[in-house]
mmCIF file of all heavy atoms in Angstrom:
data_model
loop_
_atom_site.group_PDB
_atom_site.id
_atom_site.type_symbol
_atom_site.label_atom_id
_atom_site.label_comp_id
_atom_site.label_asym_id
_atom_site.label_seq_id
_atom_site.Cartn_x
_atom_site.Cartn_y
_atom_site.Cartn_z
ATOM 1 N N LEU V 1 18.015 43.514 56.106
ATOM 2 C CA LEU V 1 18.687 44.262 57.167
ATOM 3 C C LEU V 1 19.040 43.354 58.340
ATOM 4 O O LEU V 1 20.065 43.542 59.002
ATOM 5 C CB LEU V 1 17.805 45.413 57.646
ATOM 6 C CG LEU V 1 17.737 46.648 56.755
ATOM 7 C CD1 LEU V 1 16.808 47.676 57.357
ATOM 8 C CD2 LEU V 1 19.121 47.250 56.548
ATOM 9 N N GLN V 2 18.190 42.360 58.590
ATOM 10 C CA GLN V 2 18.462 41.452 59.703
ATOM 11 C C GLN V 2 19.621 40.507 59.376
ATOM 12 O O GLN V 2 20.360 40.095 60.262
ATOM 13 C CB GLN V 2 17.195 40.665 60.049
ATOM 14 C CG GLN V 2 16.143 41.497 60.778
ATOM 15 C CD GLN V 2 15.586 42.620 59.922
ATOM 16 O OE1 GLN V 2 15.217 42.406 58.774
ATOM 17 N NE2 GLN V 2 15.537 43.816 60.471
ATOM 18 N N LEU V 3 19.768 40.165 58.098
ATOM 19 C CA LEU V 3 20.955 39.407 57.690
ATOM 20 C C LEU V 3 22.210 40.248 57.906
ATOM 21 O O LEU V 3 23.241 39.746 58.365
ATOM 22 C CB LEU V 3 20.844 38.998 56.219
ATOM 23 C CG LEU V 3 19.926 37.816 55.894
ATOM 24 C CD1 LEU V 3 19.764 37.668 54.383
ATOM 25 C CD2 LEU V 3 20.487 36.528 56.500
ATOM 26 N N ALA V 4 22.100 41.548 57.572
ATOM 27 C CA ALA V 4 23.213 42.456 57.825
ATOM 28 C C ALA V 4 23.478 42.576 59.322
ATOM 29 O O ALA V 4 24.636 42.664 59.751
ATOM 30 C CB ALA V 4 22.917 43.824 57.225
ATOM 31 N N ALA V 5 22.410 42.574 60.124
ATOM 32 C CA ALA V 5 22.564 42.644 61.577
ATOM 33 C C ALA V 5 23.374 41.458 62.082
ATOM 34 O O ALA V 5 24.252 41.608 62.937
ATOM 35 C CB ALA V 5 21.195 42.685 62.253
ATOM 36 N N PHE V 6 23.070 40.273 61.568
ATOM 37 C CA PHE V 6 23.813 39.085 61.992
ATOM 38 C C PHE V 6 25.280 39.172 61.558
ATOM 39 O O PHE V 6 26.191 38.849 62.327
ATOM 40 C CB PHE V 6 23.174 37.828 61.414
ATOM 41 C CG PHE V 6 23.946 36.571 61.694
ATOM 42 C CD1 PHE V 6 24.008 36.050 62.977
ATOM 43 C CD2 PHE V 6 24.635 35.918 60.679
ATOM 44 C CE1 PHE V 6 24.727 34.902 63.248
ATOM 45 C CE2 PHE V 6 25.353 34.768 60.935
ATOM 46 C CZ PHE V 6 25.396 34.247 62.222
ATOM 47 N N ALA V 7 25.517 39.644 60.317
ATOM 48 C CA ALA V 7 26.888 39.756 59.815
ATOM 49 C C ALA V 7 27.682 40.781 60.628
ATOM 50 O O ALA V 7 28.811 40.503 61.076
ATOM 51 C CB ALA V 7 26.880 40.143 58.339
ATOM 52 N N PHE V 8 27.104 41.971 60.835
ATOM 53 C CA PHE V 8 27.789 43.007 61.605
ATOM 54 C C PHE V 8 27.993 42.571 63.055
ATOM 55 O O PHE V 8 29.030 42.851 63.665
ATOM 56 C CB PHE V 8 27.009 44.316 61.565
ATOM 57 C CG PHE V 8 27.034 45.001 60.236
ATOM 58 C CD1 PHE V 8 26.073 45.941 59.898
ATOM 59 C CD2 PHE V 8 28.014 44.709 59.301
ATOM 60 C CE1 PHE V 8 26.095 46.571 58.670
ATOM 61 C CE2 PHE V 8 28.045 45.324 58.065
ATOM 62 C CZ PHE V 8 27.085 46.257 57.744
ATOM 63 N N GLY V 9 26.971 41.903 63.612
ATOM 64 C CA GLY V 9 27.090 41.436 64.988
ATOM 65 C C GLY V 9 28.196 40.413 65.154
ATOM 66 O O GLY V 9 28.934 40.430 66.147
ATOM 67 N N THR V 10 28.318 39.519 64.176
ATOM 68 C CA THR V 10 29.373 38.507 64.243
ATOM 69 C C THR V 10 30.750 39.147 64.154
ATOM 70 O O THR V 10 31.658 38.823 64.943
ATOM 71 C CB THR V 10 29.210 37.488 63.096
ATOM 72 O OG1 THR V 10 27.922 36.882 63.190
ATOM 73 C CG2 THR V 10 30.282 36.421 63.163
ATOM 74 N N ILE V 11 30.923 40.082 63.214
ATOM 75 C CA ILE V 11 32.213 40.768 63.080
ATOM 76 C C ILE V 11 32.519 41.588 64.327
ATOM 77 O O ILE V 11 33.644 41.585 64.840
ATOM 78 C CB ILE V 11 32.221 41.652 61.825
ATOM 79 C CG1 ILE V 11 32.056 40.804 60.560
ATOM 80 C CG2 ILE V 11 33.519 42.462 61.738
ATOM 81 C CD1 ILE V 11 31.860 41.613 59.299
ATOM 82 N N GLY V 12 31.500 42.312 64.834
ATOM 83 C CA GLY V 12 31.699 43.103 66.045
ATOM 84 C C GLY V 12 32.064 42.253 67.238
ATOM 85 O O GLY V 12 32.919 42.638 68.056
ATOM 86 N N TRP V 13 31.447 41.080 67.346
ATOM 87 C CA TRP V 13 31.746 40.154 68.449
ATOM 88 C C TRP V 13 33.186 39.645 68.350
ATOM 89 O O TRP V 13 33.904 39.568 69.359
ATOM 90 C CB TRP V 13 30.760 39.002 68.407
ATOM 91 C CG TRP V 13 30.924 37.979 69.484
ATOM 92 C CD1 TRP V 13 30.599 38.105 70.807
ATOM 93 C CD2 TRP V 13 31.457 36.663 69.336
ATOM 94 N NE1 TRP V 13 30.891 36.950 71.492
ATOM 95 C CE2 TRP V 13 31.421 36.040 70.606
ATOM 96 C CE3 TRP V 13 31.952 35.940 68.257
ATOM 97 C CZ2 TRP V 13 31.869 34.754 70.823
ATOM 98 C CZ3 TRP V 13 32.395 34.640 68.465
ATOM 99 C CH2 TRP V 13 32.359 34.058 69.730
ATOM 100 N N ILE V 14 33.618 39.309 67.144
ATOM 101 C CA ILE V 14 35.003 38.847 66.943
ATOM 102 C C ILE V 14 35.996 39.953 67.291
ATOM 103 O O ILE V 14 37.009 39.720 67.962
ATOM 104 C CB ILE V 14 35.198 38.370 65.489
ATOM 105 C CG1 ILE V 14 34.382 37.099 65.233
ATOM 106 C CG2 ILE V 14 36.680 38.107 65.198
ATOM 107 C CD1 ILE V 14 34.365 36.655 63.783
ATOM 108 N N LEU V 15 35.701 41.185 66.858
ATOM 109 C CA LEU V 15 36.589 42.310 67.166
ATOM 110 C C LEU V 15 36.625 42.593 68.672
ATOM 111 O O LEU V 15 37.662 43.010 69.204
ATOM 112 C CB LEU V 15 36.138 43.556 66.407
ATOM 113 C CG LEU V 15 36.335 43.519 64.889
ATOM 114 C CD1 LEU V 15 35.808 44.797 64.256
ATOM 115 C CD2 LEU V 15 37.804 43.323 64.536
ATOM 116 N N CYS V 16 35.505 42.363 69.353
ATOM 117 C CA CYS V 16 35.483 42.510 70.815
ATOM 118 C C CYS V 16 36.462 41.550 71.469
ATOM 119 O O CYS V 16 37.223 41.934 72.361
ATOM 120 C CB CYS V 16 34.060 42.277 71.329
ATOM 121 S SG CYS V 16 33.921 42.070 73.115
ATOM 122 N N ILE V 17 36.460 40.303 71.019
ATOM 123 C CA ILE V 17 37.380 39.300 71.570
ATOM 124 C C ILE V 17 38.823 39.672 71.258
ATOM 125 O O ILE V 17 39.718 39.545 72.111
ATOM 126 C CB ILE V 17 37.042 37.912 71.011
ATOM 127 C CG1 ILE V 17 35.647 37.480 71.475
ATOM 128 C CG2 ILE V 17 38.084 36.882 71.445
ATOM 129 C CD1 ILE V 17 35.169 36.180 70.876
ATOM 130 N N ILE V 18 39.066 40.152 70.018
ATOM 131 C CA ILE V 18 40.424 40.559 69.642
ATOM 132 C C ILE V 18 40.900 41.715 70.511
ATOM 133 O O ILE V 18 42.028 41.712 71.020
ATOM 134 C CB ILE V 18 40.466 40.946 68.156
ATOM 135 C CG1 ILE V 18 40.237 39.713 67.275
ATOM 136 C CG2 ILE V 18 41.800 41.600 67.795
ATOM 137 C CD1 ILE V 18 40.122 40.023 65.797
ATOM 138 N N SER V 19 40.040 42.708 70.687
ATOM 139 C CA SER V 19 40.396 43.866 71.512
ATOM 140 C C SER V 19 40.692 43.452 72.948
ATOM 141 O O SER V 19 41.640 43.944 73.571
ATOM 142 C CB SER V 19 39.255 44.887 71.482
ATOM 143 O OG SER V 19 39.527 45.980 72.326
ATOM 144 N N MET V 20 39.889 42.534 73.473
ATOM 145 C CA MET V 20 40.086 42.073 74.843
ATOM 146 C C MET V 20 41.425 41.354 75.008
ATOM 147 O O MET V 20 42.073 41.452 76.046
ATOM 148 C CB MET V 20 38.930 41.144 75.236
ATOM 149 C CG MET V 20 38.990 40.638 76.666
ATOM 150 S SD MET V 20 37.473 39.778 77.141
ATOM 151 C CE MET V 20 37.361 38.515 75.886
ATOM 152 N N GLY V 21 41.857 40.630 73.974
ATOM 153 C CA GLY V 21 43.090 39.865 74.077
ATOM 154 C C GLY V 21 44.346 40.654 73.794
ATOM 155 O O GLY V 21 45.450 40.236 74.179
ATOM 156 N N LEU V 22 44.215 41.803 73.109
ATOM 157 C CA LEU V 22 45.399 42.600 72.781
ATOM 158 C C LEU V 22 45.974 43.266 74.029
ATOM 159 O O LEU V 22 45.228 43.724 74.901
ATOM 160 C CB LEU V 22 45.040 43.672 71.753
ATOM 161 C CG LEU V 22 44.773 43.200 70.320
ATOM 162 C CD1 LEU V 22 44.286 44.366 69.472
ATOM 163 C CD2 LEU V 22 46.021 42.588 69.718
ATOM 164 N N VAL V 23 47.294 43.349 74.083
ATOM 165 C CA VAL V 23 47.947 44.018 75.212
ATOM 166 C C VAL V 23 48.161 45.497 74.903
ATOM 167 O O VAL V 23 48.435 46.294 75.805
ATOM 168 C CB VAL V 23 49.300 43.339 75.542
ATOM 169 C CG1 VAL V 23 50.342 43.638 74.479
ATOM 170 C CG2 VAL V 23 49.805 43.763 76.920
ATOM 171 N N GLU V 24 48.014 45.901 73.641
ATOM 172 C CA GLU V 24 48.296 47.285 73.248
ATOM 173 C C GLU V 24 47.091 48.195 73.450
ATOM 174 O O GLU V 24 46.546 48.743 72.494
ATOM 175 C CB GLU V 24 48.761 47.346 71.789
ATOM 176 C CG GLU V 24 50.046 46.624 71.492
ATOM 177 C CD GLU V 24 49.795 45.172 71.096
ATOM 178 O OE1 GLU V 24 48.617 44.744 71.156
ATOM 179 O OE2 GLU V 24 50.761 44.486 70.739
ATOM 180 N N TRP V 25 46.674 48.363 74.702
ATOM 181 C CA TRP V 25 45.643 49.351 75.002
ATOM 182 C C TRP V 25 46.279 50.726 75.156
ATOM 183 O O TRP V 25 45.770 51.709 74.643
ATOM 184 C CB TRP V 25 44.887 48.964 76.279
ATOM 185 C CG TRP V 25 43.822 47.942 76.039
ATOM 186 C CD1 TRP V 25 44.003 46.635 75.678
ATOM 187 C CD2 TRP V 25 42.407 48.138 76.097
ATOM 188 N NE1 TRP V 25 42.805 46.005 75.527
ATOM 189 C CE2 TRP V 25 41.802 46.897 75.785
ATOM 190 C CE3 TRP V 25 41.597 49.233 76.404
ATOM 191 C CZ2 TRP V 25 40.412 46.737 75.754
ATOM 192 C CZ3 TRP V 25 40.214 49.073 76.386
ATOM 193 C CH2 TRP V 25 39.633 47.833 76.052
ATOM 194 N N ARG V 26 47.368 50.769 75.881
ATOM 195 C CA ARG V 26 48.124 52.016 76.037
ATOM 196 C C ARG V 26 49.587 51.729 75.721
ATOM 197 O O ARG V 26 50.138 50.721 76.175
ATOM 198 C CB ARG V 26 48.019 52.561 77.464
ATOM 199 C CG ARG V 26 46.600 52.673 78.006
ATOM 200 C CD ARG V 26 46.623 53.342 79.364
ATOM 201 N NE ARG V 26 45.370 53.143 80.087
ATOM 202 C CZ ARG V 26 45.106 53.666 81.281
ATOM 203 N NH1 ARG V 26 46.017 54.406 81.887
ATOM 204 N NH2 ARG V 26 43.943 53.428 81.883
ATOM 205 N N VAL V 27 50.189 52.603 74.973
ATOM 206 C CA VAL V 27 51.608 52.471 74.640
ATOM 207 C C VAL V 27 52.373 53.535 75.419
ATOM 208 O O VAL V 27 52.179 54.731 75.194
ATOM 209 C CB VAL V 27 51.842 52.634 73.120
ATOM 210 C CG1 VAL V 27 53.334 52.475 72.797
ATOM 211 C CG2 VAL V 27 51.022 51.614 72.343
ATOM 212 N N TRP V 28 53.226 53.088 76.342
ATOM 213 C CA TRP V 28 53.997 53.984 77.188
ATOM 214 C C TRP V 28 55.418 54.132 76.662
ATOM 215 O O TRP V 28 56.076 53.135 76.359
ATOM 216 C CB TRP V 28 54.048 53.445 78.624
ATOM 217 C CG TRP V 28 52.836 53.762 79.441
ATOM 218 C CD1 TRP V 28 51.566 53.929 78.998
ATOM 219 C CD2 TRP V 28 52.788 53.943 80.861
ATOM 220 N NE1 TRP V 28 50.714 54.195 80.047
ATOM 221 C CE2 TRP V 28 51.434 54.206 81.196
ATOM 222 C CE3 TRP V 28 53.736 53.884 81.876
ATOM 223 C CZ2 TRP V 28 51.023 54.429 82.505
ATOM 224 C CZ3 TRP V 28 53.325 54.105 83.186
ATOM 225 C CH2 TRP V 28 51.987 54.387 83.504
ATOM 226 N N HIS V 29 55.887 55.365 76.596
ATOM 227 C CA HIS V 29 57.290 55.648 76.289
ATOM 228 C C HIS V 29 57.961 56.066 77.604
ATOM 229 O O HIS V 29 57.529 57.031 78.244
ATOM 230 C CB HIS V 29 57.397 56.768 75.254
ATOM 231 C CG HIS V 29 56.751 56.423 73.944
ATOM 232 N ND1 HIS V 29 57.436 55.827 72.911
ATOM 233 C CD2 HIS V 29 55.464 56.577 73.504
ATOM 234 C CE1 HIS V 29 56.621 55.631 71.891
ATOM 235 N NE2 HIS V 29 55.410 56.075 72.223
ATOM 236 N N VAL V 30 58.982 55.334 77.994
ATOM 237 C CA VAL V 30 59.606 55.545 79.300
ATOM 238 C C VAL V 30 61.088 55.877 79.143
ATOM 239 O O VAL V 30 61.717 55.582 78.117
ATOM 240 C CB VAL V 30 59.436 54.296 80.191
ATOM 241 C CG1 VAL V 30 57.961 54.005 80.417
ATOM 242 C CG2 VAL V 30 60.123 53.091 79.582
#
């Protein structure tokens, strides 16, 4: 389970960085 914790934590950390860098948080139609 701790190996899984490291794997999930690494993927979650990478996705956090991706989310932070994306500009598409809100999509506005104007």
Side-chain angles (χ1 to χ4, degrees):
L1 283 179
Q2 286 65 48
L3 283 172
F6 175 70
F8 289 160
T10 302
I11 297 172
W13 181 74
I14 292 172
L15 291 178
C16 167
I17 296 175
I18 292 174
S19 177
M20 182 171 56
L22 288 174
V23 72
E24 297 90 355
W25 279 68
R26 309 185 196 183
V27 181
W28 278 30
H29 299 269
V30 299

